[in-house]
Amino acid sequence: MAHIPRVASLFLFLTKLSAGQREVTVQKGPLFRAEGYPVSIGCNVTGHRGPSEQHFQWSVYLPTAPALEIQIVSTKDAGFTYAAYAQRVQSRDIYVERLQGNSALLHISKLQVKDSGEYECHTPNTDGKYYGSYSAKTTLTVIPDTLSATMSPQTLSKEEGEPLELTCEAAKATAQHTHLSVAWYLLQGGGRPATKIISLSKDFMLLPGPSYTERFARGAVRLDKLGAATFRLSIGNLQPSDQGQLFCEATEWIQDPDETWTSIAKKQTDPTTLRIQPAVRDFQVNLTAESTFTEGQPLELVCLVLGSGRDPPLQGVWFFNGREVARLDAGGVLGLKEDYSERASQGQLQVSKLSPKAFSLKIFAAGPEDEGAYRCAVAEMTRAQMGSWQLLQRKQSPDSHVHLRKPAARSVAVSTQNKQAVWEGEALTLLCKADGAESLLSVSWWHVPQGQTQPEFVAGMEQDGTMQLGASYGTPTNHGHARLEKMDWATFRLEITSTTVTDSGTYECRVFERIRSQARGLSWTQKMSITVKSLASSLQVSLMSRQPQVKLTNTVDLTCIVGAGYSDLQVPLTVTWQFQPAGSQVSHQLIRVTHNGTIEWGEFPSQFQRRTKISQSSFRSQLLIHDATEEEAGVYQCKVEVYDRNSLPMNGPARASANSHPLRIVISLPESKLTVHSSSQVQELAINSNAAVECSIVSRTTGHLPLAVIWYFSPVSSNASWLRILEVDQTNVVKYGDEFHTPRRKQKFHTEKVSPDMFQLHILNVEDSDQGKYRCAVQEWLLSANGTGYKLGEETSGVTELKLRPTGTKVRVSKVHWTENATEHGEAAMHCSLESADGSASLFSVTWYWAREHSGSKMLVHLQHDGLLEYGEERLRRRLHCHRSSPADFVLKLHGVEMEDAGEYWCRVVEWQLHGTPGKWVSQASDESQHMVLTVLPSEPSFHSRICSSASLIYFLFICPFLVFLLLVSALCLYWKARKLSALRRTSQREKALWMDLKGAGDGPATTREEQEEDS
């Protein structure tokens, strides 16, 4: 089939060549062809002279030897062929076909890979002279065959009218640009050629076969491409003529340089055998309907087609009492008579096709006029060539008589889906069910509250489904919101979503049936008593704690348990935890967990929130306070509020509330389990060596509590007290004692934590002054969540005595008992003498101590071996003077003796020598003097002291001058006031004399001597 268009394209190519001088042309290359498939290459000569029939000779130049001509075939010389092609030429695998006298085709029936090369067509000269071209070349490339077409072979049995779907996989992997065409064929045997069903051309056009053109136009035959390589054949309604073997053929096309498309490969799939069972055309018609119906209820009649094995186009016709009332043709067009058309327009009647073989006539509200005989007729139709419907056969059903059912007596029953006693807030569901024949009913619910006789309307529903709610039940105010539903034709459900105590009482259901034939309908009534119990009536709250006495840093565990008779209702609860601190009379809100899970905290620090965990279930709330502190000690109480779940969206108030009893929680310190190794030991060391004193913990309280370690030292002295060397507190801060705060002391003493239960005090370069007793005190601390530390216990270790090995050096201080009396405000001098002061390589330091009866000793001053003075207290610097009066004598002078200076004084002398390289002064030995007793005598009173010692004299000296000063000030005030009164009197007398002179006749002022004298 593909050979004809290929030859035609070559012929068109050859006829396009013009006449003139001799010219040989071949098909334009390069040409790509698939291995194993044929190829035809055209050659044409024009402009020649001589005979009209020209000869053609074909040669090839292989890629391996492009300059070597290999002769293939000739129309002139049978011996032209080389041996490499002789067998293929003899077997007609390669031959030349002459189209005309001047044109021919080279045919290679089955290409091989080695056939690739440059092909030359040569025409021998017949012109007498050479003029023009006598050969032409083109390139042929043989490519691998990558085309594939597959389909699983199978045998299918179908019935007439059923659909069919087949898929085949067609793919190619050619490197060159090629197109693919797919075609489906039907092979029916008997020597007949395969019939084309449908194809997808190389130009992506769907082309149906001649026998399937009409079905393709109707959409009954389809070819779809699914993905890159899947092609699906779909036949909508199988016909007996479709029986046979179906296969898929894929063809690969390539476009040559002359722009013509050539088939290079073709593959066919294995066939699928299709067997078609012709449909049974004979059928029966049956009409199904209830023999009786209730007035006002739906009436449906169904016309069924039985016996047909397929779904042919059918037309249904309905008859009532022998008269046609409705027609539904095969195209789905409905036709109704006048009265039925009017009822259908009002929504009272419906004619439809339920399935390909079922027709329905439905009257939604049947009445007495619908009583009678019904019949249906079904006709099988086929569409003629002009598009009109043509009757094939027609069948009808027997008559079916339908009668109106007479109303019967009914009864009504009222029930509840839960119980007759419900809890407040619980939904109340009442069912009202009527029996008897099915009919359209209306219902109304009424409520008579407890203690009343007048019913109130709750809800009602008419026959058409219209619902009304009573004034008190339309919105959730005093009563819960009411809903009325129709479960079926005889069952009505009333639901009050959230009941209250006022919903208790008697509920009455009234059922009404309207009868057309009666002016008044029929009604039935039934009642039921309902009790709504208050939620507060059984609400109880209790507060529990497994351990009301809680150790510090442990967990306070409180549980609020709600007891109620409605625990299965899962009602929403709000729990409020209240707390009254110890020693306070005011309670505070600790935490509030609302019914929707919101947590509201009281005014407490944020660290309290981090230590608090609240968990709440249906009727239980647990409060956990971790790392309890003393601030959590006090009285706890929980308050529970119960809500109605249905009223929560409207933010309704709590239905009930109750408080638990108060519960006191006591926070106490845990008992310490600390013990320290208490055995004593003695260490003897060489001078200037290092010492380590151990402090071992035997047991401790669980929980790895922080420890504080304090090291004490008691020097070798007859009345030495324990001195604090250093302390490592519970936060690992190191603090040195007052006597060990110097840089030299800090360098000498340091502590180390060897293990969690072992501490060591390291003493570097041990000297004579380091001899004595050492011990440690271990304190166990408990840190609360608020940062407060509590000391749980303290234990002291045994004593470790540190001694130096004798070095041969011994300093001796005079042990003479000495007693001296000193006068108050005077001076006193104490002497400390060495009995032996030999050895010029030694230096000495002296330390003076003072002590009173019933009090500890105190260091006064230290004269170091290098001459530096160190005072125990800075204030003593002005009163004490320590010096070395001679190589063997040390003197302590006390200036301004006070009565408090009385007591015992003694000295301690230490010998120092150089050790090591470079030299370092190290104490070698020491000794103490006897205690010297100083008695302070009161001094003789002086004039000033006598005055200061007399209280009355002090009062006289200070108060009398003040009184005299007050008297002088008073006298001066009286004198000034008398002078002022005298001046006023004189002024008054002068005014009086002037007035008398003016009244008389005198010519001069009459001034008496007394007045003059007085003025003077």
Side-chain angles (χ1 to χ4, degrees), residues 515-553:
I515 306 298
R516 293 186 183 181
S517 58
Q518 298 181 10
R520 299 179 61 185
L522 302 176
S523 63
W524 300 268
T525 302
Q526 188 59 267
K527 299 179 181 179
M528 173 174 280
S529 179
I530 297 296
T531 301
V532 180
K533 296 179 289 185
S534 171
L535 293 178
S537 61
S538 68
L539 180 61
Q540 295 181 350
V541 181
S542 59
L543 182 59
M544 299 174 57
S545 177
R546 294 182 178 179
Q547 194 173 4
Q549 292 188 354
V550 181
K551 300 298 182 182
L552 195 70
T553 72

Side-chain angles (χ1 to χ4, degrees), residues 841-842 912-916 918-922 924:
S842 298
W912 298 77
Q913 288 185 355
L914 280 173
H915 274 268
K920 179 181 179 182
W921 290 97
V922 179
Q924 297 289 317

Side-chain angles (χ1 to χ4, degrees), residues 315-597:
Q315 172 183 274
V317 183
W318 290 96
F319 296 90
F320 175 61
N321 292 332
R323 182 173 63 93
E324 181 182 337
V325 294
R327 177 186 295 266
L328 187 63
D329 68 9
V333 179
L334 176 64
L336 298 172
K337 300 304 179 182
E338 291 99 356
D339 51 348
Y340 277 78
S341 177
E342 181 179 356
R343 294 177 68 180
S345 63
Q346 296 175 358
Q348 300 177 7
L349 180 141
Q350 182 183 23
V351 177
S352 60
K353 192 173 184 180
L354 302 179
S355 68
K357 297 179 181 180
F359 296 86
S360 169
L361 170 63
K362 188 173 184 179
I363 303 173
F364 293 101
E369 66 276 10
D370 297 317
E371 187 177 18
Y374 289 86
R375 184 176 74 251
C376 71
V378 177
E380 181 181 359
M381 310 295 291
T382 183
R383 190 178 291 276
Q385 294 183 354
M386 301 303 295
S388 61
W389 289 105
Q390 181 179 354
L391 176 64
L392 295 181
Q393 57 176 329
R394 186 173 184 270
K395 298 292 180 67
Q396 64 180 5
S397 70
D399 288 346
S400 178
H401 296 273
V402 178
H403 302 282
L404 178 65
R405 185 184 298 117
K406 304 300 180 184
R410 301 182 184 276
S411 63
V412 175
V414 176
S415 61
T416 176
Q417 284 189 344
N418 30 32
K419 293 174 290 187
Q420 288 187 249
V422 297
W423 287 101
E424 179 184 8
E426 191 178 0
L428 173 63
T429 303
L430 298 173
L431 296 177
C432 182
K433 185 175 180 62
D435 63 356
E438 182 176 351
S439 180
L440 291 176
L441 303 176
S442 62
V443 69
S444 61
W445 284 91
W446 298 79
H447 174 224
V448 181
Q450 284 183 346
Q452 300 183 20
T453 58
Q454 185 66 29
E456 59 179 347
F457 177 67
V458 179
M461 181 179 291
E462 298 295 334
Q463 292 181 351
D464 59 357
T466 304
M467 187 180 70
Q468 304 89 27
L469 293 176
S472 301
Y473 292 88
T475 55
T477 54
N478 296 330
H479 302 276
H481 186 71
R483 293 191 302 180
L484 180 59
E485 296 179 351
K486 186 175 182 179
M487 309 301 295
D488 53 41
W489 72 269
T491 306
F492 300 87
R493 182 175 69 180
L494 173 67
E495 181 180 8
I496 301 176
T497 56
S498 179
T499 57
T500 63
V501 178
T502 57
D503 290 325
S504 299
T506 302
Y507 286 83
E508 179 180 347
C509 174
R510 301 176 185 177
V511 177
F512 178 78
E513 182 179 5
R514 191 184 308 275
I515 306 298
R516 293 186 183 181
S517 58
Q518 298 181 10
R520 299 179 61 185
L522 302 176
S523 63
W524 300 268
T525 302
Q526 188 59 267
K527 299 179 181 179
M528 173 174 280
S529 179
I530 297 296
T531 301
V532 180
K533 296 179 289 185
S534 171
L535 293 178
S537 61
S538 68
L539 180 61
Q540 295 181 350
V541 181
S542 59
L543 182 59
M544 299 174 57
S545 177
R546 294 182 178 179
Q547 194 173 4
Q549 292 188 354
V550 181
K551 300 298 182 182
L552 195 70
T553 72
N554 283 1
T555 300
V556 178
D557 188 351
L558 299 173
T559 303
C560 183
I561 301 176
V562 181
Y566 42 85
S567 58
D568 57 335
L569 295 183
Q570 302 294 322
V571 293
L573 301 177
T574 293
V575 179
T576 303
W577 290 88
Q578 296 176 334
F579 172 61
Q580 179 180 333
S584 174
Q585 301 298 323
V586 181
S587 293
H588 307 279
Q589 176 180 318
L590 192 65
I591 187 173
R592 185 170 187 261
V593 183
T594 62
H595 50 78
N596 58 3

Side-chain angles (χ1 to χ4, degrees), residues 518 524 684 799 879 908:
Q518 298 181 10
W524 300 268
E684 188 173 348
V799 175
R879 297 181 56 232
R908 180 177 181 83

